[in-house]
């Protein structure tokens, strides 16, 4: 199976998650992990499973991820399995009532990524998933790399 994982990352946390998924899925598959700055639309050719991940920035995916998704021509992902993930802060550690309300309204990056992938024709094979960082710059919370590997492995079964 040809698998493409595209990610963005400012402080390296989403990159670690993407790399871990790549390593996990790499056994027996043709896996490419691409930072968004290196990703061109032609990388999508022949892909069977596309996974896209972004840090949550102001409740959304990063601007480069949004732009990449927007520019995928309609129908390109028809017949392609898709999944989306993000990194995000632990809301219990955020001491702002306003932010809690905004997160309830606007959520995180993974869901809009998944919606966009489906809009372009993709078949969603997992619920959008978030992985937790401690504070804005991380590091990843304990166990998140393992959880990412398990999430990716589950996708292969679908
Ligand atoms: C400008 C900015 C906006 C952010 N907005 C959110 C947010 O809306 N929700 C959230 O959970 N985390 C937010 N964060 C924290 C990021 O999700 C966190 O920096 C990211 O997961 C780290 O991943 P990276 O190392 O791959 O960049 C924000 C961080 C920055 C710098």
């Amino acid at each position: 199976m040809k698998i493409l994982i595209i990610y963005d990352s400012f402080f390296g946390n989403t990159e670690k998650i993407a790399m871990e998924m790549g390593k996990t899925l790499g056994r027996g598959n043709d896996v490419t992990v691409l930072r968004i700055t290196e990703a061109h639309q032609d990388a999508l050719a022949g892909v069977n499973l596309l996974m896209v991940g972004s840090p949550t920035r102001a409740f959304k995916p990063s601007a480069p991820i949004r732009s990449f998704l927007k520019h995928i021509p309609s129908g390109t992902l028809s017949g392609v399995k898709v999944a989306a993930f993000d990194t995000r802060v632990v809301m219990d550690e955020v001491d702002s009532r306003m932010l809690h309300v905004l997160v309830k309204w606007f959520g995180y990056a993974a869901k809009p990524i998944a919606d966009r992938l489906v809009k372009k024709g993709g078949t969603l094979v997992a619920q959008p998933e978030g992985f937790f960082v401690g504070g804005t710059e991380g590091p990843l919370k304990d166990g998140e790399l393992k959880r990412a590997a398990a999430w990716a492995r589950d996708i292969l079964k679908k």
Side-chain angles (χ1 to χ4, degrees):
M1 169 145 57
K2 189 169 172 184
I3 300 172
L4 176 62
I5 303 174
I6 295 177
Y7 70 92
D8 197 5
S9 189
F10 293 83
F11 308 111
N13 298 282
T14 317
E15 179 166 56
K16 283 190 183 134
I17 295 281
M19 293 299 177
E20 184 68 19
M21 289 180 181
K23 201 173 80 182
T24 302
L25 299 180
R27 297 172 202 123
N29 296 295
D30 166 10
V31 181
T32 305
V33 185
L34 279 183
R35 182 183 273 273
I36 188 67
T37 47
E38 296 158 5
H40 302 285
Q41 298 290 338
D42 53 11
L44 299 174
V47 165
N48 307 111
L49 168 63
L50 172 64
M51 298 163 75
V52 179
S54 173
T56 303
R57 308 277 287 199
F59 320 107
K60 293 187 296 239
S62 72
I65 291 280
R66 279 186 281 136
S67 170
F68 183 87
L69 295 174
K70 189 174 162 198
H71 288 100
I72 297 175
S74 284
T76 300
L77 300 181
S78 123
V80 178
K81 295 176 179 179
V82 296
F85 61 95
D86 65 47
T87 53
R88 54 181 74 174
V89 296
V90 180
M91 281 314 291
D92 285 354
E93 295 175 2
V94 175
D95 185 23
S96 157
R97 195 172 286 185
M98 180 56 128
L99 212 54
H100 279 258
V101 172
L102 290 173
V103 164
K104 257 197 189 136
W105 280 348
F106 298 113
Y108 301 96
K111 172 81 166 64
I113 294 173
D115 289 348
R116 194 57 106 155
L117 292 170
V118 168
K119 206 169 163 198
K120 300 294 180 170
T123 304
L124 197 64
V125 287
Q127 287 308 305
E129 187 59 284
F131 299 97
F132 293 103
V133 298
T136 300
E137 297 191 15
L140 287 164
K141 290 287 184 182
D142 284 352
E144 291 303 77
L145 282 180
K146 258 193 183 160
R147 202 160 69 79
W151 184 74
R153 261 196 309 273
D154 273 357
I155 287 174
L156 269 198
K157 295 180 194 150
K158 305 206 169 130

